[in-house]
Amino acid sequence: MASGRTGSVSRVLPILNAIGCMGLAGLAVFQWGRERNLDGELHRARVELRDSQEAQEEERKRVVLLERDVGVLKESIESLQEAAERGAVELAAKEEELVAMKASGEALQAQMKVWEAAVAERDAKLKELDGVLVETRKRLDEAVAKLKQAGAR
């Protein structure tokens, strides 16, 4: 039976060998498929990483631009505030000047009324003096006429 057993063992070994080879081939195909899936996932991860790095770089650029814009806006706001403050100071000075001019105008109007009253008084006095002068001239003319008459006699 020893030779019967070796015959049957020698028939079983190629079958076991074939089964082992098939198992190894299946394992190799399984590993190859898994590695292929991993390569695909790695490729996708690299693409996603590259895309996220590009997006991150774009965001950095955008942040730099926004920071620059914020700086420009701050400078604009500061210059506008300074201009507004200067305008307020100038306005206050102009208002003070206007108040002084109004006071000066009112004083001038009061002085003008005093002058108008003085001129009216002077005109009245001149009219009165003119009347007196006309009357005196008349008397002088009469006196001259009387002297002429007396000198002619």
Side-chain angles (χ1 to χ4, degrees):
M1 269 213 179
S3 81
R5 258 183 154 193
T6 36
S8 67
V9 172
S10 56
R11 274 193 238 161
V12 173
L13 278 177
I15 293 174
L16 285 177
N17 194 13
I19 292 173
C21 284
M22 295 274 275
L24 283 175
L27 183 62
V29 167
F30 174 75
Q31 286 292 340
W32 174 77
R34 207 170 111 199
E35 187 174 318
R36 188 169 174 189
N37 285 341
L38 287 175
D39 280 345
E41 287 178 24
L42 181 61
H43 178 69
R44 279 190 298 279
R46 285 182 180 158
V47 168
E48 286 177 12
L49 177 62
R50 185 192 71 224
D51 290 346
S52 71
Q53 286 173 339
E54 288 174 358
Q56 186 179 16
E57 184 61 30
E58 288 297 318
E59 285 300 314
R60 278 190 201 126
K61 288 178 184 177
R62 187 169 171 251
V63 165
V64 167
L65 290 175
L66 289 174
E67 286 174 348
R68 184 179 54 89
D69 289 346
V70 166
V72 168
L73 286 173
K74 282 182 181 178
E75 289 175 6
S76 295
I77 288 171
E78 288 172 2
S79 68
L80 286 173
Q81 286 175 337
E82 290 172 3
E85 289 171 0
R86 281 192 309 270
V89 168
E90 290 175 8
L91 180 61
K94 293 292 182 186
E95 285 176 348
E96 287 176 11
E97 186 178 330
L98 179 63
V99 167
M101 286 182 162
K102 280 183 179 179
S104 176
E106 289 170 357
L108 287 173
Q109 284 178 346
Q111 186 64 38
M112 186 70 126
K113 287 180 181 178
V114 169
W115 288 346
E116 286 173 351
V119 167
E121 186 179 319
R122 182 206 64 176
D123 287 348
K125 187 104 170 166
L126 283 175
K127 282 183 183 179
E128 181 184 322
L129 289 175
D130 187 45
V132 170
L133 184 63
V134 167
E135 197 175 302
T136 304
R137 176 82 176 168
K138 202 184 217 183
R139 280 185 290 162
L140 181 65
D141 286 342
E142 287 174 5
V144 169
K146 283 184 186 178
L147 278 177
K148 279 185 186 180
Q149 279 180 359
R153 291 191 190 177

